[in-house]
């Protein structure tokens, strides 16, 4: 038996890790050196990165393709607003609380929607989102069909303009980086190994004792909670909730799906790449709303047919790069 | 010889696994070839490479002088190649008769029609409108054979005829084999039961780990030689 | 009498929902594909009908002579050109590609026709009604229900008594062995999608006559069709009709309580059945 060592990191990932930490430090200091519009854009970036990373965890790793995550985005927004408006909770605190509440709500939802398989699960998740949206439209105390804006008193409770913008930005940064960290650590753990096994073969992994249904349930609920937190953040960024905007399929699902598909489904780096591409394209096509969606949709279809692993998947397959390594490498001492 | 089946150095894969490492054979019209070998030796893959369910990476498959390497199943059936699949694989949403009629969909002329199939296997006539899956194993095998015959093939590939069937049923089916192949039809018979296969064929081919380990006429080689070739020793 | 009327209207609109569902069910039965763009295709058919009517001046229902073959041809091309490439075991490609298609259709229709609400005029048919023992039955809703019954009966006949139906069933059972019978899978699937879109065409025209439509109505129709399929049970076309009726009646009862409750009540009925009878009322195959 020859001697060997096991490592997880690759040279590329070590460099990437250092760069990421430096980037994070720079971003944390952003409220002091960046403009309002940069903070706003960065906050948006963090939102899409987080949503994409979480959707990728469900679809690319757990095999749960949801077309209804907007249910939790809207739910998070509405619960956060309700907590702030009716219970006087500090809006920043309301966000994690909304996440918790949404996770609890997700428990019975999961047991319902898990009765459906495959593509029917996808549409079922959409139905749930529609139910949430229609219920929200019935809530007159929250503005009914037209929604409601955050009252000035609540906004002022967040502090002066600089403090307010900084806090919301930091919250966005925390959720964005946090979602990435959550997914990365999860996939490095035993649960991550179980997920890969399930993805490769449900039958085989089931015979090894992996409680597939339990794993899927837990992940669905966790992702629901995190997605709701992002929804709470979004409602703070926009200072407003409304049934159509908070539960929008286009904004919170279509774009997210396209981001992940184009960037690379089933890889951690994919959603990052995808979000970058999304924002780049948006810069150049900002004025052409409908064409933008048409282009994204077409691009996603082409990618799915020609290079189903997306841009990063292709790169990874070709060059073996991995910025977030989750596997082990064996180095034989020869 | 330009008529009949000829394989030259066929290499076929089953996913990433190479199942055939350069197999060659020649089968003249009207001959029955017994294809024997252990599980996983590549027998099924060989049949699939001929009828079009698998596409060889390298090598050539020729039928009656025509290169049919890589042709799809829907094309080879028009040329007179039919498969009786391992495990029957009847269409479970279809009745017995519908399975048979579908076999004749390709519309080749010949002696086999619904009437003559029912003469060959009378029990099927009684059960013609029943769902194919409600029949016994042996009867399902008859439907599978009938379905293949309905396309009036010139070459029939039998994949594990006796799998899962009671000995007496196997005996009955093999008793009908000469009647089936008697009309100038070629056949390849894949069987785990070596004795039965050799008894029904005029030549044989033994595969071991995707390679031809022994070939010839049944009487030419001793049981020991065949055993050794079978197990690859 | 009012309750009877509500239930009756619900039953009749259930026919429309069954029409939405029939095409969806057919495709799932033959190739295990759930087409997320299904609802948007119904809306597309409505717009195609609108253009045909504009061009020819025909009555909307008569325009079906053109709309049905147009949609069927489009379905065949769509299947052979794009959707066939996504089929092959993995769940993601067909789902994501059909989702992309849905977005493209919505925005394409928006770009061409604007977001304006449209409606097709069926003339006297829209208000005509027949009195029956104290209640009046609208001719158009009755026609819609009748069309649903006719379509489902027609599909059943096609599936179980024709060579094409036999080809569908065989390919659905075992596509590999069906190849050996001369059935080219790509072509069989193409015919199946063509048939599905022919049904979609009928659904689209009735949709266009019955209510206003705009480029974004697709997902809603998909969901109604999907709910009818799940309530009725997978693989059972007549069950789908029952599912549509239950949905329609549920919505009607909800609307009677409060107009804003209409669609929500339908979803609630669906979720209830999902909770109590997950495989639907009359299931024939497993998902």
């Amino acid at each position: 038996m020859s001697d060997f060592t096991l490592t997880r990191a690759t040279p590329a990932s070590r460099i990437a890790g250092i760069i990421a930490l430096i980037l994070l430090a720079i971003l944390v200091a952003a409220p002091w050196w960046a403009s309002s519009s940069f903070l706003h854009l960065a906050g948006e970036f963090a939102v899409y990165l987080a949503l994409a990373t979480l959707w990728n965890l469900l679809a690319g790793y757990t095999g749960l393709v949801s077309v209804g995550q907007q249910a939790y985005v809207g739910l998070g927004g509405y619960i956060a607003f309700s907590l702030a408006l009716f219970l006087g909770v500090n809006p920043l605190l309301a966000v994690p609380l909304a996440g918790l509440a949404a996770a609890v709500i997700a428990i019975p939802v999961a047991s319902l929607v898990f009765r459906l398989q495959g593509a029917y699960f996808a549409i079922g998740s959409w139905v749930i989102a529609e139910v949430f949206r229609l219920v929200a439209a019935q809530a007159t105390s929250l503005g009914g069909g037209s929604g409601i804006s955050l009252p000035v008193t609540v906004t002022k409770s967040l502090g002066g303009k600089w403090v307010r913008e900084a806090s919301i930005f930091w919250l966005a940064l925390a959720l964005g980086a946090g979602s990435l960290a959550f997914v990365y650590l999860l996939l490095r753990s035993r649960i991550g190994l179980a997920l890969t096994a399930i993805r490769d073969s449900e039958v085989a992994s089931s015979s090894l004792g992996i409680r597939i249904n339990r794993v899927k349930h837990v992940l669905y609920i966790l992702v629901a909670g995190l997605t709701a937190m992002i929804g709470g953040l979004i409602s703070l960024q926009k200072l407003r909730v409304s049934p159509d905007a908070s539960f929008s399929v286009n904004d919170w699902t279509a774009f997210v799906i396209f981001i992940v598909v184009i960037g690379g489904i089933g890889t951690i780096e994919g959603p990052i790449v995808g979000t970058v591409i999304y924002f780049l394209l948006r810069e150049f096509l900002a004025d052409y709303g409908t064409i933008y969606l048409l282009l994204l949709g077409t691009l996603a279809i082409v990618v799915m047919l020609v290079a189903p692993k997306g841009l990063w998947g292709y790169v990874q397959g070709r060059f073996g790069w991995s910025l977030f390594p989750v596997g082990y490498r064996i180095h034989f001492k020869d | 010889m330009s008529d009949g089946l000829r394989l030259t150095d066929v290499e076929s894969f089953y996913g990433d696994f190479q199942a055939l490492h350069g197999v060659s054979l020649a089968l003249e019209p009207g001959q029955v070839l017994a294809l024997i070998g252990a599980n996983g030796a590549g027998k099924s893959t060989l049949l699939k490479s001929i009828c079009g369910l698998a596409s060889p990476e390298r090598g050539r498959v020729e039928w009656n002088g025509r290169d049919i390497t890589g042709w799809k199943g829907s094309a080879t059936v028009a040329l007179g190649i039919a498969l009786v699949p391992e495990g029957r694989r009847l269409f479970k949403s279809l009745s017995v008769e519908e399975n048979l009629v579908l076999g004749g969909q390709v519309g080749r002329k010949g002696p086999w029609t619904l009437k003559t199939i029912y003469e060959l296997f009378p029990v099927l006539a009684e059960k013609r409108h029943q769902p194919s899956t409600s029949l016994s194993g042996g009867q399902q095998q008859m439907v599978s054979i009938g379905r293949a015959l309905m396309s009036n093939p010139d070459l029939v590939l039998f994949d594990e005829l006796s799998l899962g069937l009671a000995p007496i049923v196997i005996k009955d089916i093999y008793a009908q084999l000469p009647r089936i192949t008697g009309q100038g039809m070629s056949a390849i018979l894949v069987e785990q039961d070596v004795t039965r296969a050799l008894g029904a064929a005029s030549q044989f081919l033994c595969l071991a780990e995707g390679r031809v380990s022994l070939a010839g006429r049944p009487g030419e080689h001793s049981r020991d030689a065949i055993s050794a070739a079978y197990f690859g020793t | 009498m009012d309750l009877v009327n509500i239930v009756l209207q619900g039953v009749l609109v259930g026919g429309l929902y069954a029409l939405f569902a029939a095409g969806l069910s057919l495709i799932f039965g033959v190739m295990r594909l759930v087409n997320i763009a299904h609802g948007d295709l119904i809306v597309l058919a409505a717009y195609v009908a609108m253009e045909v009517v504009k061009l020819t001046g025909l009555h909307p229902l008569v325009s079906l002579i053109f709309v049905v073959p147009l949609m069927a041809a489009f379905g065949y091309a769509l299947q052979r050109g794009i959707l066939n490439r996504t089929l092959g075991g993995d769940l993601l490609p067909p789902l994501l590609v059909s989702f992309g298609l849905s977005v493209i259709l919505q925005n394409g229709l928006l770009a061409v026709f604007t977001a304006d609400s449209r409606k097709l005029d069926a003339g006297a048919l829209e208000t005509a009604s027949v009195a029956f023992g104290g209640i009046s039955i609208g001719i158009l809703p009755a026609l819609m229900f009748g069309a649903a019954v006719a379509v489902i009966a027609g599909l059943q006949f096609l599936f179980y008594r024709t060579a094409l139906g036999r080809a569908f069933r065989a390919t659905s059972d075992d596509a590999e062995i069906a190849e050996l019978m001369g059935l080219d899978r790509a072509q069989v699937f193409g015919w199946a999608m063509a048939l599905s879109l022919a049904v979609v065409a009928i659904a689209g025209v009735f949709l266009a006559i019955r209510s206003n439509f705009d480029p974004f109505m697709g997902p809603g129709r998909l969901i109604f069709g999907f709910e009818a399929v799940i309530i009725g049970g997978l693989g059972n076309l007549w069950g789908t009709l029952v599912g549509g009726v239950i949905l329609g009646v549920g919505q009607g009862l909800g609307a009677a309580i409060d107009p804003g409750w209409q669609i929500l009540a339908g979803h609630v009925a669906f979720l209830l059945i999902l909770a109590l009878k997950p495989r639907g009322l009359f299931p024939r195959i497993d998902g």
Side-chain angles (χ1 to χ4, degrees):
Chain A
M1 273 281 280
S2 44
D3 272 328
F4 61 87
T5 52
L6 285 177
T7 60
R8 293 193 101 142
T10 65
S13 75
R14 285 201 192 91
I15 298 175
I18 296 172
I19 294 180
L21 283 172
I22 297 175
L23 204 64
L24 199 60
I26 296 176
L27 282 174
V28 169
W32 285 283
W33 58 261
S35 66
S36 268
S37 55
F38 175 85
L39 290 183
H40 198 82
L41 184 67
E44 257 200 290
F45 188 94
V47 160
Y48 273 104
L49 177 61
L51 286 175
T53 299
L54 292 172
W55 188 86
N56 184 33
L57 177 66
L58 281 186
Y61 288 92
T62 317
L64 292 172
V65 183
S66 166
V67 183
Q69 290 308 91
Q70 67 271 21
Y72 297 108
V73 172
L75 188 64
Y78 268 83
I79 295 181
F81 258 45
S82 303
L83 289 172
L85 263 79
F86 306 135
L87 294 179
V89 175
N90 179 302
L92 291 173
L93 186 60
V95 168
L97 287 177
L100 208 62
V104 170
I105 293 176
I107 297 175
V109 169
S111 70
L112 258 184
V113 94
F114 272 57
R115 291 164 190 269
L116 298 163
Q117 307 279 13
Y120 285 126
F121 169 86
I123 305 181
S125 67
W126 202 341
V127 175
I128 299 290
E130 282 297 289
V131 170
F132 285 7
R133 181 180 68 88
L134 290 167
V135 168
Q138 293 293 96
T140 39
S141 52
L142 284 161
S146 18
I148 198 171
S149 293
L150 201 61
V152 177
T153 45
V154 179
T155 321
K156 286 242 160 61
S157 77
L158 283 169
K161 183 167 184 285
W162 188 92
V163 174
R164 196 171 62 237
E165 280 184 359
S167 330
I168 293 179
F169 169 76
W170 281 324
L171 182 60
L173 195 61
L175 284 176
S179 300
L180 260 181
F182 167 71
V183 170
Y184 181 44
L185 292 172
L186 187 77
L187 291 175
R188 275 176 72 119
S189 73
R190 280 173 52 185
I191 300 185
L193 197 58
L195 282 180
T196 316
I198 293 172
R199 187 171 60 166
D200 287 343
S201 168
E202 280 212 17
V203 175
S205 53
S206 164
S207 72
L208 285 173
I210 298 177
R211 315 254 294 276
I212 297 176
N213 227 16
R214 175 79 89 71
V215 171
K216 288 185 177 182
H217 253 87
V218 169
L219 279 175
Y220 178 85
I221 292 165
L222 281 176
V223 168
L226 286 169
T227 305
M229 293 211 314
I230 298 166
L233 165 69
I234 293 170
S235 69
L236 284 185
Q237 286 176 333
K238 294 188 192 274
L239 295 174
R240 186 177 169 68
V241 289
S242 77
D244 287 339
S246 303
F247 293 98
S248 159
V249 173
N250 264 353
D251 289 335
W252 314 126
T253 285
F255 284 139
V256 170
I257 292 181
F258 294 154
I259 284 176
V260 177
V261 166
I262 295 172
I265 199 168
T267 65
I268 301 180
E269 301 86 342
I272 303 175
V273 170
T275 310
V276 169
I277 294 178
Y278 168 78
F279 276 92
L280 277 177
L281 280 176
R282 206 179 71 164
E283 270 308 297
F284 297 122
L285 298 169
D287 302 326
Y288 307 103
T290 317
I291 307 238
Y292 185 46
L293 265 170
L294 275 170
L295 182 70
L296 270 184
T298 314
L299 200 57
I301 291 182
V302 168
V303 165
M304 214 60 222
L305 291 178
V306 167
K309 294 210 165 87
L311 191 58
W312 186 262
Y314 172 75
V315 157
Q316 192 177 55
R318 191 96 197 281
F319 304 114
W321 293 344
S322 185
L323 299 178
F324 289 86
V326 291
Y328 288 93
R329 288 156 179 270
I330 301 180
H331 299 278
F332 286 99
K333 294 201 179 92
D334 282 311
Chain B
M1 138 203 112
S2 72
D3 258 14
L5 179 73
R6 180 189 284 278
L7 265 66
T8 319
D9 291 328
V10 167
E11 297 187 29
S12 291
F13 287 72
Y14 185 68
D16 282 334
F17 169 70
Q18 181 157 7
L20 298 175
H21 294 83
V23 171
S24 302
L25 69 84
L27 185 65
E28 294 194 28
Q31 298 295 309
V32 177
L33 173 77
L35 185 57
I36 58 178
N39 261 338
K43 309 190 298 294
S44 268
T45 312
L46 183 56
L47 290 190
K48 287 184 177 171
S49 303
I50 297 171
C51 72
L53 291 186
S55 189
E57 284 286 317
R58 280 175 283 277
R60 221 165 49 242
V61 179
E62 285 163 281
W63 170 241
N64 288 340
R66 219 190 199 139
D67 189 340
I68 62 163
T69 323
W71 277 34
K72 287 204 306 192
S74 45
T76 56
V77 68
L79 286 185
I81 300 178
L83 175 73
V84 181
E86 183 183 345
R88 269 80 71 189
R89 286 176 79 173
L90 297 180
F91 298 116
K92 53 182 166 48
S93 303
L94 273 54
S95 67
V96 167
E97 183 150 302
E98 284 179 312
N99 265 280
L100 294 174
V101 170
L102 194 56
Q105 175 113 341
V106 70
R108 277 172 59 90
K109 299 265 177 286
W112 295 109
T113 62
L114 266 184
K115 185 160 167 293
T116 52
I117 300 280
Y118 287 142
E119 279 168 14
L120 180 66
F121 298 124
V123 67
L124 296 188
E126 292 164 29
K127 299 182 181 276
R128 62 208 291 178
H129 295 303
Q130 287 185 24
S132 53
T133 44
S134 67
L135 273 56
S136 73
Q139 291 163 351
Q140 286 191 31
Q141 190 61 284
M142 293 178 200
V143 177
S144 190
I145 295 172
R147 185 179 62 178
L149 290 177
M150 283 290 291
S151 65
N152 282 301
D154 294 321
L155 169 64
V156 181
L157 309 171
F158 295 94
D159 201 348
E160 303 276 8
L161 258 187
S162 55
L163 200 66
L165 299 182
I168 183 143
V169 174
I170 301 172
K171 192 156 159 287
D172 283 341
I173 292 182
Y174 267 86
Q176 299 286 27
L177 214 54
R179 211 171 131 193
I180 294 171
T181 58
Q183 325 214 2
M185 206 186 277
S186 316
I188 299 183
L189 203 54
V190 167
E191 263 300 352
Q192 294 240 1
D193 185 342
V194 176
T195 318
R196 203 175 280 288
L198 293 181
S202 51
Q203 56 186 106
F204 79 94
L205 193 81
C206 184
L207 282 184
E209 292 184 350
R211 290 183 174 79
V212 177
S213 55
L214 195 63
R217 305 165 86 87
E220 280 173 357
H221 299 271
S222 68
R223 285 312 308 271
D224 286 340
I226 293 178
S227 241
Y230 189 102
F231 293 107
T233 51
Chain C
M1 274 302 123
D2 211 33
L3 183 64
V4 173
N5 208 22
I6 292 174
V7 170
L8 180 67
Q9 296 309 316
V11 167
L12 293 181
V13 90
L16 183 63
Y17 294 158
L19 275 176
F20 290 164
L24 202 63
S25 190
L26 160 73
I27 290 301
F28 185 73
V30 175
M31 51 181 117
R32 291 293 183 278
L33 168 75
V34 177
N35 185 3
I36 303 246
H38 184 80
D40 304 288
L41 289 165
I42 295 176
V43 173
L44 175 68
Y47 277 101
V48 169
M50 184 181 84
E51 289 299 289
V52 169
V53 164
K54 218 189 322 186
L55 226 75
T56 62
L58 287 170
H59 185 275
L61 284 177
V62 179
S63 78
L64 278 171
I65 305 178
F66 293 108
V67 181
V68 167
L70 276 171
M71 290 299 292
F74 179 64
Y76 187 82
L78 182 67
Q79 184 67 35
R80 293 211 67 165
I82 299 180
L83 293 176
N84 266 346
R85 290 173 211 251
T86 67
L87 297 170
D90 200 8
L91 172 67
L92 282 165
L95 224 158
L96 296 176
V97 167
S98 62
F99 182 79
L101 209 63
S102 166
V103 172
I104 290 177
L105 277 171
Q106 284 176 40
N107 288 278
L109 286 172
L110 176 66
V112 174
F113 295 107
T114 80
D116 287 347
S117 213
R118 317 278 181 153
K119 192 178 172 311
L120 288 187
D121 186 9
L125 261 182
E126 291 191 34
T127 45
S129 66
V130 151
F132 208 76
I135 33 175
S136 78
I137 303 176
I139 295 286
L140 191 62
L143 209 61
M144 218 162 55
F145 191 84
V149 172
V151 163
I152 292 179
L155 286 176
Q156 292 284 106
F157 179 84
L158 189 137
F159 258 78
Y160 292 103
R161 295 209 190 279
T162 67
L164 182 62
R166 199 173 50 222
F168 283 155
R169 281 181 291 142
T171 305
S172 158
D173 283 340
D174 194 331
E176 204 185 30
I177 298 299
E179 283 275 341
L180 292 177
M181 314 279 129
L183 293 176
D184 181 9
R185 181 188 329 208
Q187 210 175 45
V188 171
F189 287 166
W191 284 117
M193 187 55 86
L195 186 62
S196 173
L197 289 207
V199 176
V200 158
I202 300 174
V205 168
F206 273 114
L207 172 74
I209 298 176
R210 183 173 177 263
S211 55
N212 290 324
F213 63 96
D214 62 59
F216 301 111
M217 285 197 42
R221 307 324 104 191
L222 168 72
I223 287 180
F224 290 158
F226 155 78
E227 288 178 334
V229 169
I230 299 293
I231 294 175
L234 285 178
N236 189 335
L237 279 178
W238 290 117
T240 296
L241 184 61
V242 173
V245 164
I246 291 179
L247 191 63
V249 171
Q251 286 185 353
L253 292 173
I257 300 175
D258 181 322
W261 275 82
Q262 182 181 357
I263 298 186
L264 193 55
H267 291 330
V268 169
F270 160 74
L271 289 175
L272 262 171
I273 303 225
L274 185 62
L276 299 172
K277 288 211 103 194
R279 289 185 69 219
L281 295 174
F282 315 105
R284 277 240 209 116
I285 56 180
D286 283 313

